[in-house]
Amino acid sequence: MRPDLVIFDCDGVLVDSETVSNRILSENLARHGLTMTLAQTMETFVGRSMTGVQDIARTMGAALPADWIDLIYDEIYTALRQGVEVIAGIPALLDALDAAGIPYCVASNGSDEKMDITLGATGLAARLEGRRYSAHALGVSKPDPDLFLIAASRNGADPSRCLVIEDSPSGAIAARRAGMACLGYVPEGHEDRLSAEGATIIRHMDAVAPHIGLTPAQSA
């Protein structure tokens, strides 16, 4: 299906920021009594809002202070300002969507400040100006479908004709609940958690253009 709107997640889909963020999170939680490996941290928390991370971490035994969310964001943002990479294939995919006249946007559980840092550092900020939807700003977060539904509404797109590109189960759940098709980006490792939520798995962003029916000329 050629979509009327492509909705990208940000962290782990547009920019390779998940490893950095979760390394800082793992180190922080260890200081508060909850020891987890980086792999465990990513499996447990990727795709969740920081409020959700806080709630889960506390149930797992972390003694987090009342201002923990502000503190952890300060630590993560400091690390991200050192630089992140664009996910391989994203610039070419955005070029293909522009050439084909297919609108796109980003809908993230992260804050606008975080997107300023990561998208700004990679040169994607200008391309996505006016096309960003933050759970912090809108008061809804995945797996609630409203973040995606707001993005669709503001772009005049029917949810059934939107395509979401996600790397987390919560994002895939939100897409399913919104009635949107979802591509689950899993560059390596097991895809079961996303495919179980109805996502079609891709291993590289090069797979997106043929999936939505763009010809080689359009996706060059």
Side-chain angles (χ1 to χ4, degrees):
M1 178 193 78
R2 184 185 177 99
D4 291 343
L5 176 69
V6 177
I7 304 175
F8 292 90
D9 180 38
C10 186
D11 298 302
V13 171
L14 292 175
V15 292
D16 188 12
S17 52
E18 292 286 21
T19 300
V20 174
S21 298
N22 281 275
R23 175 176 56 79
I24 297 301
L25 178 60
S26 177
E27 293 170 356
N28 178 283
L29 292 177
R31 297 197 302 271
H32 292 95
L34 178 59
T35 300
M36 303 176 71
T37 66
L38 174 60
Q40 290 170 331
T41 303
M42 293 187 71
E43 182 177 357
T44 305
F45 298 121
V46 164
R48 298 186 183 277
S49 67
M50 200 57 76
T51 299
V53 171
Q54 176 180 252
D55 292 344
I56 293 171
R58 282 176 171 162
T59 65
M60 296 175 70
L64 304 180
D67 59 347
W68 180 78
I69 290 180
D70 290 335
L71 295 173
I72 189 61
Y73 271 135
D74 285 344
E75 290 185 33
I76 290 173
Y77 293 169
T78 297
L80 291 175
R81 287 189 180 96
Q82 305 307 307
V84 295
E85 299 293 328
V86 178
I87 294 294
I90 282 295
L93 174 56
L94 298 184
D95 288 345
L97 294 174
D98 285 336
I102 299 174
Y104 53 86
C105 64
V106 54
S108 173
N109 271 358
S111 66
D112 277 313
E113 182 180 1
K114 186 178 183 183
M115 285 192 279
D116 285 341
I117 295 168
T118 57
L119 298 177
T122 57
L124 292 178
R127 299 192 76 159
L128 291 160
E129 185 175 358
R131 310 188 202 192
R132 300 184 344 190
Y133 301 92
S134 164
H136 286 224
L138 295 171
V140 290
S141 61
K142 311 165 200 175
D144 188 316
D146 285 351
L147 186 62
F148 290 153
L149 292 173
I150 289 170
S153 176
R154 293 188 181 179
N155 283 274
D158 186 317
S160 68
R161 295 195 57 79
C162 293
L163 174 68
V164 172
I165 304 179
E166 271 285 351
D167 70 330
S168 72
S170 63
I173 292 169
R176 175 168 50 77
R177 291 175 175 173
M180 299 178 180
C182 180
L183 293 180
Y185 176 60
V186 186
E188 57 185 3
H190 299 292
E191 68 270 17
D192 300 1
R193 296 175 68 213
L194 272 76
S195 60
E197 301 301 341
T200 298
I201 303 302
I202 59 171
R203 295 291 189 179
H204 195 282
M205 289 301 169
D206 289 351
V208 178
H211 180 84
I212 60 178
L214 297 186
T215 66
Q218 289 174 300
S219 58

